[in-house]
Structure formats: structure tokens, C-alpha cells
């Protein structure tokens, strides 16, 4: 496993987190951003994961660019 494969794996994970819908998937399971209120809950593991999910949802445009670059590299390199 090389560095490129590891980066592709992280890109796939970021894509998976970016497409999660709060109303349909996260809120019924208690993982909405409004559930994590206060400083103590925000520092917990669940609060950190919810913050990561919301960060990837805000970075959708850079994810699209990274996906396009990855596709182009795969097309050129084979």
C-alpha cells in the first residue's frame, strides 16, 4: 500500500461523510449538530466526530476538485 492509495482512501472517507444528510440520517440517531451544545459535549469523541462530519459538508467544493484531480490522475496513469 502506497501513499497514493492511502490518500485515495481518505478521499473516499471524506466523500462518504460529506453526503450524509442531517435530517434523514444524523438527527434520528442523535448525531445532529444541535445535540452537541456546550463546551463539555463538544470535546467528547461524539462531538469531535460530529464536527468532522460538518466540516466535510462545508468543504464540498474542494472535495469536488480533489475528486476531479484523482480521476484525471487515474486516467493518465492507468
Amino acid at each position: 500500500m502506497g501513499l497514493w492509495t492511502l490518500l485515495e482512501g481518505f478521499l473516499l472517507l471524506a466523500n462518504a461523510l460529506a453526503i450524509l444528510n442531517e435530517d434523514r440520517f444524523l438527527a434520528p440517531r442523535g448525531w445532529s449538530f444541535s445535540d452537541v451544545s456546550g463546551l463539555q459535549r463538544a470535546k467528547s469523541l461524539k462531538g469531535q466526530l460530529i464536527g468532522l462530519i460538518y466540516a466535510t459538508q462545508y468543504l464540498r467544493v474542494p472535495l469536488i476538485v480533489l475528486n476531479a484531480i484523482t480521476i484525471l490522475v487515474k486516467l493518465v496513469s492507468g
Side-chain angles (χ1 to χ4, degrees):
M1 181 166 89
L3 180 62
W4 181 255
T5 307
L6 186 65
L7 291 175
E8 282 180 339
F10 283 132
L11 182 63
L12 287 172
L13 180 66
N15 285 325
L17 293 176
I19 65 169
L20 290 176
N21 189 340
E22 180 180 2
D23 296 331
R24 293 176 59 191
F25 182 76
L26 296 174
R29 290 162 178 82
W31 284 72
S32 66
F33 198 66
S34 61
D35 289 340
V36 182
S37 61
L39 187 60
Q40 187 67 14
R41 293 172 120 185
K43 290 188 177 185
S44 67
L45 179 63
K46 181 179 177 181
Q48 293 290 320
L49 287 174
I50 292 172
L52 177 66
I53 291 169
Y54 277 90
T56 56
Q57 289 179 355
Y58 281 117
L59 296 175
R60 286 185 179 166
V61 174
L63 276 175
I64 292 170
V65 172
L66 286 174
N67 284 320
I69 291 171
T70 303
I71 291 169
L72 288 174
V73 168
K74 285 292 203 176
L75 284 174
V76 170
S77 68

